[in-house]
Amino acid sequence: MNPQLSSLDHRQHELQASLANLPALPAPQPQEHAGFHSGLAPQADSIRWVQIDLGAEYPLDSVVVIPAMLGVAESYGFPQRFRIDASNDPLFAESDTLLDQTSADALPSLAPWCITTKNIKARHIRFTASKLAAQPHQTKRFIFCLGELLVFSGGRNVALQAQVLAPNSVETLPTWSPRHLVDGAYALGLPVHPDEINGNGWHSGISTTAESTKWVQADLGAPRDIQEIRLIPAHPRDYPERFGFGFPRRFKVEADGRTIFDSTTADFPNPGDTPVAFPTPGLRAQTLRCTATQLWERSGDFVYALAELQAFDTGKNIAREAVITSSDDTITPAWSRAGLIDGRSSSGLLLDEASWLADLSQRRQFTDELAALETQRTTALSIAQNRVAWLASAVFCLAVVIAWLAFQRARRSRRREIEALRHRISRDLHDEIGSHLGSIRLMSELALRDGSASESLEEIHRLAGEAAESMRGIIWLVREGDLPPLASLVEAMRQSAAALLRDIDWHLEATECNSATVSLEFHRQVFLLFREAAHNITRHAHAAQVRIEVRWKAKHFHLRIEDDGCGFDVAAVTAGNGLANLQHRATVLGGTLQITSRAGSGTCITLEADFS
C-alpha cells in the first residue's frame, strides 16, 4: 500500500547494522568543571556566541563539540540551533562555515558533534547559538552551555588550554567558566574499548599521612619532541564507586627538571574518569616526572596511583617506549610499573581520542536518523493504513454495486421468467379450460337440437368437472412461491387424482427423503405430466386400480404411475393419444420418460429427473 515503507525499513536495517560496529555511548561522568555557560537571555532566538583563539593558524582535521552535563545524565543547556565557523580574523569578517544547524532543531543528546574539515586553515573557532535552550524550571529565561570544544590538527587537540572569548557568559566556579570549555575534561569520560584484562596501572607505596611526597618518572631514552602530556586516572574494578582512584590532591609535572604544571599549593579537583592533559608545544625532553605532594585518601591510609602516563608527538604516544622508575611501588597482579605505559586504562584499551569522538558523533547521527525514520515510518504506515481503508471501502462499494447489479439482473431475469410463466399459464388456460368449455358448448347445442338431453348433460357434467379440476391445478401453480417444496407437489397430485380418478381405486405413496424445494417450472411440468397421464387413464385405460409412487433423494426425482387397464401397443401409438405431450414435458425437465404397456396387461409410466 506504500512502497516507501520498504525503503524506510531497509534504511533502518542498514543503520542498525552500522550502529553495531560503533562504540557505545559511555555512561556520563559527573564533572566538577561542567563547562561553559552563556549569560541569560529573555528570548529563545537571542544570539549568543563563544570563540576560542588557538594561538596560531592550524590546518584543521576536525572540530568536536561536546554538550555539558549538570547533575543528571543528560545534556544541559545545549542550543537547539547553532552554527560553527572558522576564521583567521578574530572579528570573523571573513570565515568558513564548518556546520550550519540553524534550519532545524537538534535533538538533545550527550553525544558529541564532530565536524570533519578539509583544506581549511584557521586560528579562531566561533560557536554561535541562534536558538537557545530554556533554563530548567524557568519559562522566560534562555541559555546555552557547552561541555568542551576540541580542535584536532595533526593528531592532537590544539584547542587545549586555548584563550576563550565569551562576551556574554557566566562564571560560577568551580562549575562554570569559559576556561572550562578547553580544559580537556568532559562528561564522556575516557576513550576506552572495554575488556576483561586485570590491569589497573601503577600504584605507589601506602602512606599513613597525606603529606607524603611520592613520584613516578618515565625516561624516553633520548630527548624527544613532546606536544602534550596526559595523565589517565585509575579506576580499579574492585573499587567501582571510587572514580579517580589514587589521583593526588596536590602534584606537579616536570620535564627534565623544568616545571610544566604546578598544583602543589592548591587542591586539584579529582578528575574522575577523564584525562588530565597539559599542552606542551615546543617542549623537548627526555624524562617526565609526576610528583605528588599530597596523597589521595584510600581507607584510613593514603596512596598515589595512575592508570597511564602518555606523551604525544604528532599524535603518537611516545611514552609506550619509556623506562619507568618511582619513589616506591605496590606490586600486585593488577598494579605494576609496566602498567603505567601499557596503553590501557583500568577498564580497557585506550583509543585514539579523535577517532573515538568521531565514532560517537557518527552514532549520534545514525540514532537521530533512526528517530526521524521512525517518525517517517509512522506517517508512511498511516498513509498505507488509510489507503487500505480507502481500498477496503472501494472494494466494499464495488461489491455493493456488483451485488445491486446482480440483484437487478436477477430481478429482470425473474420478471422474464414470470412473464414466460404467465404465457404458459395463459396457454394452459386456453388448452385446458378453453377446450373443455368448447366441448360443453358443443354438447349443449347438440342436446338442444336432438332432444337427447340426458346423455349430453352427463357428458357436460363430466367436462365441467374436468374443467374445474384443471382450474384448481392452475390456481395452485399460480399461488405457490418461487421455490415451493416438493411436498406441496405431492399434495396437489393427491387432490388432482381424487378429482380425475374418482371412479377408480387409486393409491398414492410418497417417500419424503428431505424437505427439498424446486423451481415453480419443475412443479408445473411434473404436475401437468401427472394430470395428462391420469386423464389418459380415465378416458382410455378402463382400469380398476391405479398405483402412484413419488420419491426424491439427493436432487433426483422419481414418479411412477401404474394401472391394471387394457393396455396398448406402444409401437402403434399415434400422436392423438397424448403420449407425445408426456414425452415433451419429460424432455423439458431434462429427464427420461419410460412407458411400458402391452394389450390386456395395463400400463406403467416412469419419470426420472434431476433438479437443482
Side-chain angles (χ1 to χ4, degrees):
M1 291 295 100
N2 191 351
Q4 185 185 10
L5 278 172
S6 179
S7 61
L8 290 174
D9 288 342
H10 179 70
R11 180 57 179 162
Q12 281 183 324
H13 291 318
E14 285 183 341
L15 291 174
Q16 288 165 353
S18 299
L19 283 174
N21 297 321
L22 293 174
L25 188 67
Q29 306 295 320
Q31 288 293 311
E32 187 176 43
H33 292 178
F36 163 82
H37 191 303
S38 76
L40 301 177
Q43 296 177 337
D45 58 359
S46 301
I47 303 299
R48 295 287 186 271
W49 56 269
V50 63
Q51 175 178 318
I52 63 173
D53 182 355
L54 304 178
E57 179 184 88
Y58 288 95
L60 307 181
D61 297 332
S62 63
V63 175
V64 180
V65 176
I66 300 176
M69 186 191 78
L70 184 66
V72 293
E74 59 185 35
S75 62
Y76 179 87
F78 194 78
Q80 297 181 30
R81 300 190 181 190
F82 57 92
R83 190 179 72 248
I84 302 175
D85 300 293
S87 178
N88 283 310
D89 179 8
L91 299 179
F92 279 75
E94 294 183 0
S95 62
D96 293 304
T97 298
L98 306 181
L99 175 66
D100 189 342
Q101 185 67 30
T102 58
S103 59
D105 289 355
L107 296 177
S109 172
L110 268 176
W113 290 70
C114 180
I115 303 95
T116 302
T117 59
K118 292 182 179 180
N119 303 320
I120 294 179
K121 295 181 178 181
R123 173 173 175 170
H124 303 278
I125 306 295
R126 176 180 287 185
F127 186 103
T128 304
S130 57
K131 185 175 181 180
L132 309 184
Q135 188 177 28
H137 313 299
Q138 299 292 332
T139 57
K140 296 183 179 180
R141 299 171 69 178
F142 299 89
I143 59 173
F144 98 87
C145 303
L146 298 178
E148 189 77 7
L149 179 60
L150 303 94
V151 180
F152 289 96
S153 176
R156 72 183 184 95
N157 176 21
V158 294
L160 188 65
Q161 306 301 340
Q163 291 185 356
V164 179
L165 176 63
N168 193 316
S169 65
V170 171
E171 183 153 0
T172 54
L173 297 174
T175 307
W176 302 109
S177 172
R179 296 190 304 275
H180 294 168
L181 184 64
V182 290
D183 62 358
Y186 46 82
L188 295 179
L190 295 171
V192 171
H193 177 71
D195 59 30
E196 298 300 326
I197 297 176
N198 184 25
N200 292 327
W202 170 82
H203 192 304
S204 74
I206 300 171
S207 176
T208 57
T209 62
E211 284 71 22
S212 297
T213 300
K214 296 183 181 296
W215 57 265
V216 62
Q217 177 175 298
D219 188 340
L220 303 178
R224 303 286 299 272
D225 291 329
I226 303 172
Q227 296 171 328
E228 182 180 322
I229 299 171
R230 185 174 295 189
L231 306 180
I232 307 298
H235 189 175
R237 300 176 196 271
D238 49 348
Y239 286 89
E241 303 301 322
R242 307 296 295 273
F243 300 93
F245 181 93
F247 200 89
R249 297 182 63 184
R250 298 187 180 188
F251 68 98
K252 63 180 178 179
V253 179
E254 299 170 293
D256 288 348
R258 291 173 292 169
T259 300
I260 303 299
F261 175 80
D262 190 347
S263 182
T264 58
T265 58
D267 289 353
F268 189 89
N270 189 284
D273 276 350
T274 58
V276 178
F278 310 100
T280 57
L283 174 65
R284 186 173 180 82
Q286 177 174 336
T287 61
L288 301 175
R289 175 175 289 196
C290 297
T291 304
T293 58
Q294 190 173 87
L295 308 184
W296 179 79
E297 184 177 1
R298 187 177 63 169
S299 299
D301 52 22
F302 301 88
V303 299
Y304 171 27
L306 293 174
E308 191 80 1
L309 171 62
Q310 298 177 318
F312 290 96
D313 177 23
T314 62
K316 181 182 178 182
N317 178 18
I318 58 177
R320 294 289 303 275
E321 306 163 2
V323 175
I324 302 300
T325 55
S326 62
S327 57
D328 54 17
D329 308 284
T330 296
I331 305 299
T332 70
W335 299 101
S336 65
R337 291 180 179 179
L340 188 64
I341 53 171
D342 61 358
R344 299 182 66 262
S345 72
S346 300
S347 57
L349 181 67
L350 289 166
L351 304 175
D352 175 70
E353 185 180 27
S355 300
W356 180 69
L357 291 172
D359 286 345
L360 292 181
S361 177
Q362 187 75 64
R363 169 173 283 277
R364 177 193 51 76
Q365 293 177 29
F366 288 167
T367 302
D368 290 351
E369 185 177 353
L370 278 173
L373 286 175
E374 188 59 35
T375 301
Q376 295 176 35
R377 192 180 188 281
T378 300
T379 303
L381 184 60
S382 177
I383 292 173
Q385 290 171 340
N386 288 338
R387 289 176 179 174
V388 168
W390 277 107
L391 180 60
S393 299
V395 170
F396 175 75
C397 293
L398 181 62
V400 170
V401 170
I402 291 174
W404 182 82
L405 291 175
F407 172 75
Q408 293 298 323
R409 182 176 180 182
R411 189 177 180 183
R412 288 193 296 270
S413 176
R414 183 61 188 152
R415 285 175 179 173
R416 288 193 295 268
E417 290 178 1
I418 292 174
E419 187 64 27
L421 182 58
R422 287 197 188 100
H423 286 298
R424 288 193 294 271
I425 291 174
S426 176
R427 188 170 57 251
D428 291 341
L429 287 171
H430 177 271
D431 294 345
E432 296 288 337
I433 309 304
S435 63
H436 284 83
L437 292 176
S439 298
I440 291 172
R441 180 179 179 183
L442 179 61
M443 294 298 299
S444 62
E445 288 178 357
L446 290 174
L448 290 173
R449 281 201 301 265
D450 297 341
S452 53
S454 177
E455 184 178 347
S456 297
L457 287 175
E458 183 179 348
E459 183 63 20
I460 288 171
H461 176 71
R462 185 186 64 78
L463 291 174
E466 290 183 4
E469 193 280 330
S470 296
M471 181 64 74
R472 281 195 299 271
I474 292 171
I475 291 173
W476 170 79
L477 286 171
V478 174
R479 188 175 60 238
E480 290 295 319
D482 290 344
L483 293 171
L486 285 173
S488 297
L489 176 61
V490 173
E491 184 60 29
M493 292 168 64
R494 194 184 303 277
Q495 294 179 10
S496 183
L500 294 174
L501 304 174
R502 60 183 179 276
D503 297 328
I504 302 174
D505 183 14
W506 61 275
H507 177 70
L508 188 150
E509 179 183 348
T511 304
E512 298 183 22
C513 297
N514 54 57
S515 57
T517 59
V518 190
S519 67
L520 187 58
E521 179 62 17
F522 187 91
H523 281 257
R524 176 178 173 275
Q525 294 295 342
V526 172
F527 179 72
L528 294 179
L529 182 147
F530 173 77
R531 286 192 65 255
E532 183 78 25
H535 184 72
N536 288 341
I537 291 172
T538 302
R539 299 189 62 183
H540 304 294
H542 306 294
Q545 290 185 343
V546 176
R547 185 175 180 275
I548 305 165
E549 180 185 277
V550 183
R551 67 174 182 269
W552 60 90
K553 184 178 182 180
K555 303 298 182 181
H556 182 75
F557 181 82
H558 168 83
L559 172 63
R560 179 184 176 91
I561 307 170
E562 186 176 4
D563 66 71
D564 61 352
C566 61
F568 61 93
D569 185 358
V570 177
V573 171
T574 62
N577 289 325
L579 298 184
N581 288 339
L582 300 179
Q583 191 64 53
H584 171 73
R585 296 192 187 282
T587 302
V588 172
L589 289 168
T592 59
L593 184 72
Q594 183 178 4
I595 303 174
T596 58
S597 183
R598 196 171 60 222
S601 300
T603 302
C604 180
I605 300 173
T606 305
L607 171 67
E608 303 285 349
D610 292 330
F611 59 87
S612 59

